[in-house]
Amino acid sequence: MKKIINKPGDFVDEMIEGIVLAHPDLVKNPGDDRRILVRADAPVTGKVGIVTGGGSGHLPLFKGYVGRGLCSGVAIGNVFSSPSSQQCFEATKAVDGGAGVLYLYGNYGGDVFNFDLAADLAELEDIETRTVLGRDDVASQPKERKHERRGVAGIMFAYKAAGAAAERGDSLDQVAAVAEDVVEHTATMGIGLSPTVMPTTGEPSFTLAEGEMEIGIGIHGEPGIHRGPLETADEITDRIIGALVEDLDLVSGDRVAVLVNGLGATPLEELYVIYRRAHQVLSERGLSIEKKYVGEYATSLEMAGASISLLKLDDARLELLNAPASSPFFLEV
């Protein structure tokens, strides 16, 4: 596959440099390490900081959610690789306004290991931290082991809610509780149609035969739960919505937020075809759709496919989703 890059090893740094140059009013590098990005006004004195992080290749996840009413900073790894513990720690120091820092990121082994080390380093600097892991991918583990699930596109809901809570002045424990509450009530499932190609190797992340799809595939190409002939948009959507509704124990009268997410190479038109069917099915089940998001929120370079996320809403969660937020890749006024 052809890619518009310079040297493969410079891909991540040049991409980050481009973001900072394009949006200097919203984000900045707080020091010499380009792999650390914070909101332009960081640190905000007296407010809880929120640090996320993970591998590159998923834009706007993770770095795209740094801004007002969202995350305060991000530590950025190579493509599909974790940031270092030192980078996580430096991001922590850069956003600490004296009220503590929440670590909010996806449930992947390398990220967990390095953020835990960063928390130990932060403790030595008298910076209080809490950790909440995004774990919304219902295909990655059964419900009885949901604490082991991967974090995927649904973490956007947690960024939005936790960021709004921090913005209004909630304490560290309160912000962490908000994030955990949203994570517990979020479910996501995706479908892959073609792989991503790694910039460093030129090799695909997985293989699919012509005319095949894979339900439940992870954003790094992790195996899903069903591989078979490509189905229609309605059939795919019915599969996913059915699984999400069951996982969240949704019943008629419940309220939800819906996120239809493209994985990088799926046209927006197709995402709206998926949303159309999701809206129909959820409405037929008596569910009220209070918030709708359609677009690219967590990608995998040029992987073809999509995911659907549902967040079960109550008044508190809906209020936080409705709060203003702005970043280079997200705007809600």
Side-chain angles (χ1 to χ4, degrees):
M1 175 169 291
K2 299 175 182 177
K3 288 182 174 290
I4 304 175
I5 62 175
N6 295 309
K7 296 178 181 179
D10 294 337
F11 172 68
V12 173
D13 289 329
E14 291 182 346
M15 173 265 298
I16 298 168
E17 183 181 2
I19 292 173
V20 174
L21 290 172
H23 306 284
D25 55 324
L26 296 174
V27 293
K28 66 182 179 181
N29 297 119
D32 294 332
D33 191 341
R34 284 184 181 162
R35 301 299 184 91
I36 301 163
L37 199 64
V38 301
R39 51 189 276 182
D41 60 352
V44 181
T45 302
K47 288 189 177 181
V48 171
I50 301 174
V51 171
T52 190
S56 296
H58 304 301
L59 202 66
L61 200 70
F62 300 86
K63 58 195 75 63
Y65 296 106
V66 173
R68 183 176 59 90
L70 295 162
C71 297
S72 312
V74 59
I76 304 162
N78 286 322
V79 174
F80 297 178
S81 299
S82 301
S84 70
S85 58
Q86 188 64 35
Q87 288 166 333
C88 298
F89 174 53
E90 293 298 331
T92 305
K93 291 195 295 182
V95 305
D96 175 41
V101 175
L102 171 67
Y103 292 156
L104 179 56
Y105 57 95
N107 188 20
Y108 296 91
D111 297 335
V112 172
F113 181 80
N114 286 326
F115 269 100
D116 283 351
L117 289 177
D120 292 339
L121 295 172
E123 184 178 7
L124 297 175
E125 298 281 338
D126 295 323
I127 301 173
E128 193 173 7
T129 64
R130 298 286 185 276
T131 297
V132 174
L133 300 178
R135 47 187 191 277
D136 53 308
D137 187 351
V138 304
S140 59
Q141 290 291 349
K143 194 171 183 177
E144 60 270 19
R145 297 173 62 185
K146 63 187 301 183
H147 64 285
E148 299 176 18
R149 287 175 172 172
R150 302 183 293 246
V152 285
I155 198 173
M156 185 277 289
F157 292 136
Y159 289 153
K160 184 68 186 63
E167 205 70 37
R168 73 185 177 189
D170 285 14
S171 69
L172 177 58
D173 285 339
Q174 289 171 326
V175 174
V178 162
E180 181 64 31
D181 172 70
V182 170
V183 166
E184 278 293 307
H185 291 91
T186 300
T188 301
M189 184 179 284
I191 171 177
L193 303 181
S194 69
T196 183
V197 177
M198 299 293 287
T200 50
T201 65
E203 297 296 324
S205 54
F206 62 95
T207 58
L208 270 177
E210 189 70 25
E212 272 194 329
M213 66 174 190
E214 185 160 358
I215 297 285
I217 198 163
I219 58 174
H220 305 109
E222 297 96 336
I225 57 175
H226 169 80
R227 180 177 285 203
L230 179 62
E231 299 174 356
T232 67
D234 285 1
E235 289 169 336
I236 292 166
T237 305
D238 289 353
R239 275 182 181 268
I240 294 176
I241 290 294
L244 301 183
V245 167
E246 180 181 356
D247 193 82
L248 292 172
D249 297 319
L250 296 173
V251 297
S252 180
D254 283 341
R255 297 178 290 165
V256 295
V258 182
L259 167 63
V260 176
N261 171 65
L263 292 178
T266 300
L268 190 57
E269 289 88 346
E270 294 178 21
L271 299 183
Y272 276 101
V273 172
I274 293 172
Y275 178 79
R276 159 195 158 275
R277 181 59 176 173
H279 191 108
Q280 290 173 352
V281 173
L282 292 169
S283 298
E284 288 168 0
R285 290 174 176 262
L287 299 167
S288 176
I289 303 169
E290 303 290 328
K291 294 287 289 185
K292 315 166 188 74
Y293 301 91
V294 181
E296 292 188 335
Y297 291 82
T299 65
S300 184
L301 292 174
E302 71 276 61
M303 185 188 294
S307 65
I308 303 174
S309 303
L310 296 182
L311 167 62
K312 183 177 181 180
L313 291 174
D314 59 12
D315 289 342
R317 293 172 208 138
L318 183 57
E319 179 184 353
L320 292 165
L321 287 192
N322 283 331
S326 61
S327 79
F329 299 86
F330 189 99
L331 178 63
E332 194 150 53
V333 295

Short mmCIF file of all heavy atoms in Angstrom, two decimals, residues 93 148 191 242:
data_model
loop_
_atom_site.label_atom_id
_atom_site.label_comp_id
_atom_site.label_asym_id
_atom_site.label_seq_id
_atom_site.Cartn_x
_atom_site.Cartn_y
_atom_site.Cartn_z
N LYS A 93 3.21 15.62 35.23
CA LYS A 93 3.74 16.85 35.82
C LYS A 93 3.27 18.09 35.05
O LYS A 93 2.99 19.13 35.64
CB LYS A 93 5.27 16.81 35.84
CG LYS A 93 5.85 15.79 36.80
CD LYS A 93 7.34 16.04 37.05
CE LYS A 93 8.16 15.84 35.79
NZ LYS A 93 9.61 16.04 36.04
N GLU A 148 -11.56 -7.32 32.11
CA GLU A 148 -10.40 -7.65 31.28
C GLU A 148 -10.56 -7.18 29.84
O GLU A 148 -9.68 -7.40 29.01
CB GLU A 148 -10.18 -9.17 31.29
CG GLU A 148 -9.89 -9.76 32.66
CD GLU A 148 -9.77 -11.27 32.62
OE1 GLU A 148 -9.56 -11.82 31.52
OE2 GLU A 148 -9.88 -11.91 33.68
N ILE A 191 -16.49 -4.11 13.43
CA ILE A 191 -16.37 -5.03 12.31
C ILE A 191 -15.20 -4.58 11.45
O ILE A 191 -15.03 -3.39 11.19
CB ILE A 191 -17.66 -5.08 11.46
CG1 ILE A 191 -17.42 -5.89 10.17
CG2 ILE A 191 -18.17 -3.69 11.15
CD1 ILE A 191 -18.63 -6.06 9.29
N GLY A 242 -27.73 -5.89 18.71
CA GLY A 242 -28.26 -6.94 19.56
C GLY A 242 -27.30 -7.31 20.68
O GLY A 242 -27.70 -7.48 21.84
#
